[in-house]
Every structure is written in C-alpha cells, then in structure tokens.
Amino acid sequence: MAPAGAVYDEYLETNMRAITEGLLQALLVKKPAHGNTHPNTEVEVFCIEWLTNWNKERDQEEQVVSRLTAEKELLLHKRNEMSELLSKKENSFAAELQKLRASLSGGSSSAALGGQDVNTVAAPALANFSGLGDPIGGKATEAVPTAPGDGSSSAAL
C-alpha cells in the first residue's frame, strides 16, 4: 500500500495539472496588477474569476458530450432496428421469389403462368417488398412492370 502522501501527489498530478498549467499561463499572459493596499488582491480576484470561468466552460463541454453520447446511442438503436427490419423483408422477399420459381419449374414458364408475363406475376411480390424503402437515402424501392411479353422489368433499388 502506498503512503498517503504518494496517493495525494498522484491525485494532484492527474487531476490538477491541467488546471494549474492553464491558470499559470493565464496569469503570465494577462499579468494582473498588484494592489496597493494588499499586494495579492487583484491576483486573487483574477484567479478566482479564472477558475470560475474554467469550471463553467468544463460543465458546458460535459453537457455537450453527454448530449452527443445520448444522440449516438439513439442512432445506433435506430440502425439496429432498421437492419433487423431489412433482414425480415429480405427473407420475406426470398421466400416469395422461391415460391414463384417453384411454380415456374413445373413446365414451360408461359404455360405455368397461364400465358402471362413473369414480370406481371412477380409485381405483387415486389410491391410488398417496396414498402421497406432505402434506409440510407430514404427512397422507396418500387417494382415497375413493363409491357407484357417484353421480358424485362425495371426496379429502382
């Protein structure tokens, strides 16, 4: 166990060094005048004012840090929720796509679809997926069926 004096010295070194260095620097830069009646009056007043201002500034900085930390935690929570929602929507979309492929694998695609275009049949499944939107850009994902028999589809991803 360290002697009490060593513990106290360590406390002063770690916690008070920045304060004393800042105060000393302010004293050297501002150079408050000595009073005529009491030699240390203006220096004492200057030191008390400087320490009061330093404490106020530090409290404001700590409030800003606390606010930013809370904001960061909120954003991380929202990101996790959105990621989970995206995962669920992707799984739902994959299941719909697998069902559609399974129904098409039984024979010719136009016969299995009753003569309809694949894009027209897939549009409802894609429309369900479009409600998610783009979590980063805020744009909705939409499936836009093209003309029947065209064989193409455009989707804004």
Side-chain angles (χ1 to χ4, degrees):
M1 186 170 152
V7 172
Y8 185 71
D9 289 346
E10 183 178 327
Y11 169 81
L12 288 176
E13 177 69 26
T14 58
N15 296 318
M16 302 299 289
R17 182 178 199 93
I19 298 169
T20 53
E21 286 177 354
L23 179 59
L24 181 60
Q25 183 179 12
L27 282 168
L28 292 172
V29 170
K30 302 283 181 171
K31 296 182 182 176
H34 296 291
N36 292 335
T37 58
H38 191 275
N40 294 328
T41 304
E42 290 189 35
V43 173
E44 288 174 6
V45 170
F46 176 83
C47 290
I48 290 171
E49 288 175 357
W50 187 89
L51 289 168
T52 302
N53 288 334
W54 181 85
N55 193 33
K56 285 179 186 176
E57 290 172 5
R58 184 171 173 99
D59 285 344
Q60 290 173 352
E61 289 174 2
E62 288 176 4
Q63 289 173 356
V64 169
V65 169
S66 296
R67 183 182 52 82
L68 291 174
T69 301
E71 187 176 325
K72 177 187 121 189
E73 293 298 322
L74 177 66
L75 291 173
L76 288 173
H77 180 70
K78 284 182 179 180
R79 181 199 66 184
N80 292 340
E81 285 179 346
M82 292 176 77
S83 179
E84 186 177 314
L85 180 62
L86 177 62
S87 177
K88 287 178 182 177
K89 289 287 187 172
E90 285 175 342
N91 291 340
S92 172
F93 179 70
E96 290 289 327
L97 188 59
Q98 188 175 12
K99 286 179 188 176
L100 184 59
R101 285 184 180 158
S103 70
L104 292 175
S105 66
S108 101
S109 63
S110 72
L113 296 174
Q116 295 181 11
D117 181 37
V118 172
N119 296 318
T120 305
V121 174
L126 292 172
N128 289 337
F129 187 68
S130 70
L132 176 64
D134 180 7
I136 296 174
K139 298 179 281 185
T141 307
E142 297 183 58
V144 181
T146 58
D150 182 16
S152 66
S153 173
S154 62
L157 295 175

